[in-house]
Amino acid sequence: MWVVIVLDNPSSGLCGYFRRYLLMLRTNLFAGNVNKKILNDFIERIKESCSSAIVLIQSKKHDLGFELIKCHKADLSIVDLDGFQAIRRTIKTDR
C-alpha cells in the first residue's frame, strides 16, 4: 500500500524510524510502499509522539484512490466533498 506522510515538528527519532521504511523526499515528507501492519505502527508512533501529521494512503474506498488520515493536527480538518477529500485549515482570529 502506498503512503505519503507529512510531519509537523517531528522528533529526530521519529524521522529516523520512517527513514527505515520510506524515502525522505524533502524535510519531513516521506513516501513509500508498506504493508498494513507497518502503516498502523506509523500511525501509532505519530500519536504517541508530540508530532502531528497528515497521512495519505492508497485506498479503493474513494474514487480518487487515496484516503487522508489526520493525526494530532488541531487546526486542520479533513472534509469529504462527495468522494473528494480536502484539508480545511481553521484560522483563529482575534475579534
Side-chain angles (χ1 to χ4, degrees), residues 4-7 15 22-31:
V4 176
I5 300 175
V6 181
L7 295 171
C15 284
L22 303 172
L23 179 65
M24 187 171 173
L25 302 174
R26 66 177 177 91
T27 306
N28 302 336
L29 176 65
F30 298 89

Side-chain angles (χ1 to χ4, degrees), residues 7-58:
L7 295 171
D8 185 27
N9 256 350
S11 66
S12 59
L14 190 62
C15 284
Y17 180 73
F18 286 149
R19 272 191 229 123
R20 286 189 216 166
Y21 300 97
L22 303 172
L23 179 65
M24 187 171 173
L25 302 174
R26 66 177 177 91
T27 306
N28 302 336
L29 176 65
F30 298 89
N33 194 6
V34 296
N35 62 33
K36 184 90 170 164
K37 181 181 176 187
I38 293 174
L39 176 63
N40 290 335
D41 188 46
F42 286 168
I43 293 170
E44 286 303 313
R45 284 181 184 258
I46 293 168
K47 288 179 180 178
E48 289 173 2
S49 72
C50 295
S51 300
S52 58
I54 294 291
V55 180
L56 180 136
I57 62 169
Q58 178 182 0

Side-chain angles (χ1 to χ4, degrees), residues 46-82:
I46 293 168
K47 288 179 180 178
E48 289 173 2
S49 72
C50 295
S51 300
S52 58
I54 294 291
V55 180
L56 180 136
I57 62 169
Q58 178 182 0
S59 173
K60 294 181 181 177
K61 292 189 290 185
H62 298 282
D63 294 338
L64 295 175
F66 67 87
E67 179 180 356
L68 295 171
I69 300 171
K70 178 184 82 154
C71 300
H72 288 288
K73 209 53 171 145
D75 62 335
L76 297 180
S77 60
I78 297 173
V79 181
D80 192 328
L81 305 169
D82 293 329

